[in-house]
Amino acid sequence: MTKGLLIRGGRIIDPSQKIDGTGSLLIREGKIVWQAQGEFFPPGWENYNVLLVNGLVVCPGFIDFHCHLREPGFVAKETIATGIQAASKGGFTTICCMPNTDPPMDSEETIKYVKSKADKEKGVVVLPIGCVTVGRKGKTLVDMKALAKAGVAGFSDDGEPVKTAALMKEALVQSRELGLPVIDHCEEPVGGAPEGEERIVARDIKLAEKTGGWVHIAHVSTAGAVQSIRKAKAKGIKVTAEVTPHHLTLTKDAVKKYGTLAKVNPPLRTKRDVQALIQGLKEGVIDIIATDHAPHTAADKQGDFASAAAGISGFETALSSLMGLVHSGALTMNEVIACLTIKPAQILGKQLGSLAVGMTADITVFDPDKEWTVNVKKFASKGKNTPLAGSVQRGKVLVTISAGEHFVWGG
Ligand code: DOR
């Protein structure tokens, strides 16, 4: 039996158990085997390895329901290995990767390829998301049953909505039977107008109501979409939703300042939209926070705004961006952590996102106050594309523990 690790003296925040207080955790053989609040230690604790975390937050490992690992096909932007490393540095222990790869993840074979590559890496569990339509072309549905059997966490043509209502309807019928979400890229294929987002969200909520299927709205960005989701939830329609750290913290003014580095899909919106997103998160209308980590090469981001690639490399600044909202009082620490842990675990339907005794020891330790300057050269991600480059952030992940194995990132 390996020696246990006692994580001692931190502020344990675990929304799954409504815990927020000083305490300690003991992990052994990859599991959490003991937990106590206050100054209690397990018998024989002197014999364990000890991680002293006074003044730091100890919470369940973060879960990201939406990211891009770019492999297969776009390894100049990111590889599964570099993406995993970046996610781990950002405090994530489980991530779901989108299928806009080359080839797209529309077959059992590609899903298995991504899973087997990811399983070779340490620190993060990767759950792929399968396409809704073959080649993401919006013409024929994938074999959803076969992809579900191969272990996808959901289905999406991310980057674009499912092209037609007819196909979306059929996908939602199947999603009901499979118990998996159809994840909606809530934008019209071109344009980025707020009304386009609202139109697609309204279409897909109506289809979820008709079919009883489960629609998950990805990266909600407008006040109008928040209101539609609020109304749909009140009617009992099976809809869940996510918001990104950048849509919660930046407005379209960032485009003037940072140019293509602030180009994302959907676009950054107005202050009023940002306020509606924060309010939606507080009410539970928006269920989770997801990074939409979208690494690109410097060349992809060059040139004029219209032709540059959309996306922000988000894993390594997600926590500090969100801590900015905690420090300003817009969100509470518990709200942020719940949206990164137990709530995405519930969407995944997996025993994750909790520090309860018996759970796999996926744990994130961070300093909510540590100030640091974003140096993209030090990113583990190949994607250096972030408007936060050079900015001073407050809040830093220091240790990420995955199934009991711990990775120390330092100051
Ligand atoms: O900004 C974005 N980039 N939004 C998306 O939905 C797709 C992503 C990408 O793949 O680069």
Side-chain angles (χ1 to χ4, degrees):
M1 195 182 270
T2 56
K3 219 174 172 188
L5 176 70
L6 181 69
I7 303 175
R8 186 180 154 178
R11 176 179 170 192
I12 298 187
I13 304 185
D14 180 5
S16 84
Q17 303 182 87
K18 299 197 164 44
I19 292 174
D20 180 356
T22 304
S24 297
L25 290 172
L26 179 63
I27 61 183
R28 199 194 289 141
E29 309 281 311
K31 300 261 182 215
I32 297 171
V33 295
W34 181 91
Q35 178 198 82
Q37 286 182 273
E39 286 293 315
F40 295 103
F41 304 112
W45 68 268
E46 300 87 343
N47 301 319
Y48 299 122
N49 292 319
V50 176
L51 191 64
L52 262 185
V53 290
N54 295 56
L56 306 180
V57 172
V58 178
C59 67
F62 302 150
I63 301 168
D64 190 4
F65 195 54
H66 186 151
C67 73
H68 298 266
L69 296 182
R70 306 297 192 207
E71 212 181 333
F74 302 108
V75 295
K77 293 176 193 274
E78 193 78 293
T79 65
I80 289 169
T82 56
I84 283 178
Q85 184 78 5
S88 187
K89 259 183 100 178
F92 294 89
T93 50
T94 303
I95 59 176
C96 301
C97 59
M98 281 294 173
N100 56 344
T101 49
D102 185 18
M105 291 191 256
D106 61 2
S107 68
E108 270 180 276
E109 200 191 341
T110 322
I111 298 292
K112 282 185 183 154
Y113 170 82
V114 170
K115 279 180 78 141
S116 71
K117 273 215 125 169
D119 288 349
K120 290 195 187 97
E121 304 298 326
K122 288 182 173 182
V124 177
V125 171
V126 174
L127 305 170
I129 289 165
C131 297
V132 179
T133 65
V134 176
R136 296 175 54 248
K137 290 201 163 83
K139 294 225 166 75
T140 334
L141 280 194
V142 298
D143 184 345
M144 290 175 70
K145 236 188 216 157
L147 294 199
K149 236 173 124 195
V152 297
F155 302 92
S156 182
D157 277 356
D158 189 66
E160 283 194 21
V162 174
K163 280 203 176 69
T164 66
L167 274 171
M168 186 65 181
K169 191 171 179 182
E170 223 180 303
L172 283 165
V173 168
Q174 289 206 38
S175 92
R176 189 185 55 201
E177 266 131 51
L178 298 170
L180 291 169
V182 181
I183 303 163
D184 192 13
H185 179 102
C186 57
E187 267 194 303
E188 286 181 336
V190 272
E195 295 78 9
E197 172 165 328
E198 285 149 24
R199 185 177 75 82
I200 296 292
V201 168
R203 179 195 83 173
D204 293 340
I205 284 175
K206 195 183 264 177
L207 292 172
E209 180 175 24
K210 280 225 159 122
T211 57
W214 171 11
V215 67
H216 175 83
I217 314 289
H219 40 53
V220 177
S221 74
T222 67
V226 175
Q227 181 59 4
S228 298
I229 299 163
R230 183 181 284 116
K231 281 195 188 149
K233 285 197 166 181
K235 276 170 89 177
I237 300 169
K238 189 146 179 56
V239 52
T240 50
E242 73 190 33
V243 63
T244 68
H246 46 270
H247 288 110
L248 283 171
T249 52
L250 299 171
T251 65
K252 60 183 180 186
D253 289 348
V255 175
K256 281 182 222 141
K257 209 163 162 195
Y258 305 106
T260 61
L261 288 176
K263 181 180 176 182
V264 276
N265 287 334
L268 299 171
R269 307 286 188 189
T270 65
K271 208 167 169 193
R272 183 181 151 260
D273 292 306
V274 170
Q275 278 161 355
L277 294 170
I278 290 171
Q279 180 58 28
L281 202 71
K282 280 189 160 305
E283 285 173 38
V285 170
I286 297 174
D287 301 82
I288 60 171
I289 299 169
T291 66
D292 195 6
H293 172 74
H296 289 291
T297 64
D300 296 333
K301 279 287 188 184
Q302 260 161 22
D304 61 292
F305 195 81
S307 60
I312 291 174
S313 181
F315 280 146
E316 291 164 79
T317 54
L319 192 261
S320 61
S321 292
L322 297 168
M323 280 305 110
L325 294 169
V326 173
H327 294 311
S328 73
L331 291 172
T332 68
M333 187 86 92
N334 278 270
E335 283 165 342
V336 166
I337 293 175
C339 288
L340 290 170
T341 59
I342 187 61
K343 289 178 157 202
Q346 284 162 350
I347 286 183
L348 286 168
K350 292 197 183 289
Q351 287 276 330
L352 291 169
S354 167
L355 299 176
V357 169
M359 296 292 290
T360 298
D362 287 348
I363 302 167
T364 297
V365 179
F366 68 87
D367 183 341
D369 294 310
K370 171 122 194 142
E371 291 200 352
W372 60 289
T373 303
V374 179
N375 177 357
V376 292
K377 286 196 195 127
K378 286 196 181 164
F379 271 15
S381 172
K382 283 192 172 187
K384 315 298 179 195
N385 49 302
T386 172
L388 302 181
S391 69
V392 176
Q393 300 282 301
R394 189 170 154 211
K396 194 156 200 321
V397 174
L398 299 181
V399 180
T400 314
I401 302 174
S402 168
E405 191 170 355
H406 73 281
F407 302 90
V408 179
W409 308 115

